[in-house]
């Protein structure tokens, strides 16, 4: 399953919201410094889809707010 994620950093609470089929908005507490926010997105997605983080691959957008992930094992 390939999904698009729009990331909001420095949020007060962590949340995930599906805004369209296959398009999610993820809010994380971490700031976008040294990849900490991207790591937090991995964690939030793993919790939401109930898969290990190793089943999630970042395809595009390491330094962008809009990222494309592939999730296997769903």
């Amino acid at each position: 399953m390939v999904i698009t994620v729009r990331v909001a950093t420095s949020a007060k609470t962590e949340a995930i919201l599906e805004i369209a089929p296959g398009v999610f908005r993820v809010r994380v507490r971490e700031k976008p410094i040294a990849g900490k926010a991207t790591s937090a997105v991995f964690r939030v997605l793993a919790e939401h889809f109930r898969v290990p983080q190793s089943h999630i691959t970042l395809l595009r957008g390491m330094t962008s707010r809009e990222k494309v992930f592939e999730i296997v094992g769903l």
Side-chain angles (χ1 to χ4, degrees):
M1 170 184 208
V2 176
I3 62 169
T4 301
V5 174
R6 178 75 179 181
V7 180
T9 59
S10 303
K12 289 183 181 182
T13 60
E14 292 184 341
I16 185 167
L17 175 68
E18 186 169 15
I19 54 177
V23 180
F24 293 85
R25 177 164 290 143
V26 177
R27 295 179 185 196
V28 293
R29 290 186 182 117
E30 285 76 5
K31 295 181 189 256
I33 299 172
K36 290 182 181 181
T38 301
S39 298
V41 172
F42 272 95
R43 183 178 40 77
V44 170
L45 288 174
E47 289 173 6
H48 179 77
F49 289 108
R50 295 187 177 129
V51 296
Q53 287 185 27
S54 61
H55 287 200
I56 301 173
T57 305
L58 179 62
L59 300 177
R60 276 194 314 260
M62 180 62 182
T63 60
S64 173
R65 284 185 177 212
E66 191 162 304
K67 302 176 184 303
V68 177
F69 290 94
E70 180 179 25
I71 302 173
V72 295
L74 290 181

